[in-house]
Every structure is written in C-alpha cells, then in structure tokens.
Amino acid sequence: MEFLGTSHSWTLHRGVREGREVFVKRGADFSAEAHGLRRLSPLAPEVVHLGADELVLPWLEPERPGVRAAEEFGRALAGLHALGADRFGAPWPGMIADLPLDNAPAGDDWLTWYAERRCLPYARTARDAGTLSASDVTEIEAFLGRARQPAEPVSRIHGDLWSGNVHWSGGRAWLIDPAAHGGHRETDLAMLGLFGAPHLDRILAAYDEARPLAEGWRERAPLHRLHPLLVHCVLYGASYRARTMPTARSSLFSGSG
C-alpha cells in the first residue's frame, strides 16, 4: 500500500485489492461520504468497500480536462440536479471536511433551512473561536434575513463542489468528497466558481443549455458561497474572515425585496 499523504484527520493510500487498483482513505468514519457517493451515482465513483474507519474507491488516474469533457460535465450535473430529493438535507448525519454537517429539516423553505443548517452554526462556531466577532455574526444574520432566492424544486446536489472535488479521469468528471444532500442547485454552481474550475465558462454554458437557470443566478452566488466560506473560517481561522465578511455585506440584498 503506497502512502499518498494526509487530509484533515485521515490518511490517503494507493493500493491493490483483489487485483484491482484502488484509492483508500483511513482514519475516520466515512459513512456520510459513502452515502453521498452512492446518492450521486453515476457521477461519483463506486464505493468498493466501507469499513469502520476505511473507505475504498476505484483508483482513477488523474488527467487534465478538455473542453468537451467540461461541457459533458455541465450537462451531467444538470441531469443530477434534476433527479431531485424528497426534502432539504438528507436522512443521514453529514460531514464537510472533518466537521459535522446538520442535515435535519428546518422550516418550509430553502432560505430558512440554509440559514439554520448551513450558515449560522459555523458563524457561531467561528465567533466562539475568536475568528469572527459578535458584530460579524449579527451582520451575517442580517444578510441572511434580507436574502431572496427564487423557489425551485429540491435538487440533488454535491454540497461541497469546489474544483478540487471534481476529479477528471477517463475523459470525464467524477464527483468526489461530497457533502451530498437535497438543496438548491445554484449552490453547486456558485461553489464551482469560488476557487475557480477549469473551463468553468463551458461547464456553466452547457448546464444552462440543458436546464436553464433562473434570471440573476450569478448575482446570487455570494449567498450560496457564504456557507463554504464560513466552514473555511472554522477550519483555517482568521485568514478567511477577509473574504467572508465582504460576501455577507453584498449589496444585492440591501433592499426590501
């Protein structure tokens, strides 16, 4: 078994199981990730084995994505979102990185659920750790209170879709390290743009062709990016405050809506 390195609290390995080359994560409870990978099939790799502290996936040799693969991914992501979910959240306790992610119901609309289950828990944790101030959290609460988001059916989303969680192999994209749940499809698209993704313009154009997005979706991206930025505040400290607070001060929702 070849040791590849560490990520958060677990170790990464490459090896062979029953004649098959595999990727292995060890050192944590990976059941939420396995649930998510199965929920995102066929865009996610097969779960070869799930143990008490081990997750085994097929080894997918990485490659540089081309334009065609990016466009195919955009269309496939639109199809995944269209599969839907029965509610916001998921029927299992979630994880994002090595932090707990509350998938329980909250309220009757996405904005209430997003505020209560995605943003405010991490804002308060960051405040308690000294990364954010009490007034920062008040601003975040006010931002969420005045936010507006067109209603759509619940989508089946990855939930942590930054570019590093799109693995390119075999001429296509694979979704890895999910925080999968029923949510709003604009969340995945906003996350793709947070740290940049290869051929992002072609991914988004192909998605919009396959399943047109509601007017103003690009302008709503700060709302959907607030959660991952708050998670980064908790994981990595004060360096992310400088990016998080301008997002929470977005002028998009400054009016009464």
Side-chain angles (χ1 to χ4, degrees), residues 152 185-186 189 204 207-208 211-217 220:
E152 290 196 4
R185 61 182 179 144
E186 291 178 14
L189 302 181
L204 296 176
Y207 184 107
D208 194 43
R211 192 167 178 237
L213 289 150
E215 184 179 353
W217 68 271
R220 289 187 294 274

Side-chain angles (χ1 to χ4, degrees), residues 172-188:
R172 57 161 289 182
W174 298 88
L175 301 184
I176 61 172
D177 295 341
H181 62 276
H184 201 291
R185 61 182 179 144
E186 291 178 14
T187 296
D188 275 353

Side-chain angles (χ1 to χ4, degrees), residues 59-70 72 163 166-174 198-199:
W59 178 262
L60 301 171
E61 190 66 30
E63 64 188 24
R64 293 176 63 86
V67 171
R68 178 173 295 181
E72 289 177 355
S163 59
V166 183
H167 183 81
W168 303 91
S169 180
R172 57 161 289 182
W174 298 88
H199 307 298

